[in-house]
């Protein structure tokens, strides 16, 4: 049970506290979510979900070095934490540590082969590195897992456009728009 130092939030069992923090996090109330994650960590400094999600908040607030530290600690505690590996890849990509980002995405998909978002994110990083064949393969894998994935279809269209495979590009863009009408 979480130790409560605030009269506004009752003592909650771990899962309820994580759920509450995640609701605040998803609603965009990062300070409230951060407070709950930190309260969880005061009670259990090695709680991997709270470490991971506090790392995600750090990334969202532009504190990427702190995000790497927190997410890496979560992974050290729970090595098979696919979401943490994927989110670490996102932060490493932003820090321009591209090879490490790819390694993180690959670790996420080794743990969870049907992790469409990790395949897509890997494609983004591979494209930035100019590894278009690898990016195409990553996007296609993401789409094969999650056919109604507009971002993967859009990103695949961008590569086809760059490769001057315009029919394939248009088809990918149409698919993205069919999935998400009005997709800018």
């Amino acid at each position: 049970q979480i130790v409560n130092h605030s009269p506004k939030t009752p003592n909650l069992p771990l899962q309820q506290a994580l759920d509450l923090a995640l609701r605040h996090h998803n609603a965009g109330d990062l300070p409230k979510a951060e407070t709950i994650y930190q309260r969880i960590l005061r009670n259990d400094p090695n709680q991997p979900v709270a470490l991971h999600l506090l790392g995600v908040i750090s990334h969202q607030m532009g504190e990427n070095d702190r995000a790497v530290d927190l997410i890496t600690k979560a992974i050290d505690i729970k090595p098979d934490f696919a979401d943490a590996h994927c989110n670490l890849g996102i932060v490493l990509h932003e820090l321009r540590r591209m090879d490490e980002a790819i390694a993180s995405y690959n670790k996420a998909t080794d743990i969870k082969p049907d992790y469409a978002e990790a395949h897509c994110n890997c494609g983004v990083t591979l494209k930035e590195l100019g590894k278009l064949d690898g990016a195409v393969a990553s996007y296609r894998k993401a789409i094969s897992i999650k056919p109604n994935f507009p971002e993967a279809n859009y990103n695949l269209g961008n590569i086809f456009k760059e490769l001057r495979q315009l029919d394939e590009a248009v088809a990918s863009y149409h698919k993205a728009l069919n999935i998400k009408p009005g997709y800018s």
Side-chain angles (χ1 to χ4, degrees):
Q1 191 156 343
I2 296 169
V3 177
N4 183 12
H5 299 287
S6 167
K8 294 180 180 181
T9 308
N11 287 330
L12 298 173
L14 175 62
Q15 191 56 54
Q16 285 180 316
L18 287 170
D19 291 346
L20 178 62
L22 197 53
R23 279 196 300 278
H24 289 300
H25 195 157
N26 289 333
D29 191 346
L30 301 184
K32 200 170 276 187
E34 181 176 17
T35 297
I36 297 169
Y37 295 139
Q38 288 174 340
R39 189 173 299 135
I40 291 167
L41 292 169
R42 276 195 301 274
N43 189 57
D44 180 1
N46 293 317
Q47 209 304 314
V49 175
L51 285 164
H52 166 239
L53 293 173
L54 191 57
V56 170
I57 286 178
S58 296
H59 167 67
Q60 290 172 303
M61 295 172 69
E63 300 171 7
N64 289 322
D65 291 328
R66 180 174 184 241
V68 168
D69 291 342
L70 289 163
I71 297 170
T72 299
K73 185 173 180 186
I75 290 168
D76 289 345
I77 295 163
K78 184 175 168 43
D80 64 342
F81 198 165
D83 288 341
H85 284 284
C86 185
N87 285 326
L88 179 60
I90 291 168
V91 178
L92 292 168
H93 177 118
E94 190 150 317
L95 289 169
R96 312 305 298 162
R97 293 164 55 182
M98 302 304 218
D99 291 336
E100 292 172 83
I102 291 169
S104 290
Y105 297 133
N106 288 336
K107 184 65 177 171
T109 58
D110 287 346
I111 295 164
K112 186 177 171 187
D114 64 343
Y115 199 163
E117 291 78 7
H119 287 289
C120 185
N121 290 342
C122 190
V124 170
T125 304
L126 289 166
K127 181 187 182 297
E128 280 196 35
L129 291 173
K131 298 178 179 182
L132 300 185
D133 291 340
V136 167
S138 291
Y139 293 138
R140 284 188 168 148
K141 181 67 176 175
I143 293 165
S144 74
I145 294 165
K146 186 176 173 182
N148 291 325
F149 193 168
E151 294 81 7
N153 282 283
Y154 171 78
N155 291 341
L156 183 58
N158 285 340
I159 290 182
F160 285 141
K161 183 179 80 171
E162 194 170 315
L163 294 171
R164 304 217 182 272
Q165 297 174 6
L166 301 183
D167 290 339
E168 291 90 341
V170 169
S172 292
Y173 292 144
H174 277 297
K175 177 122 191 225
L177 286 169
N178 288 335
I179 298 164
K180 186 176 176 180
Y183 189 11
S184 62

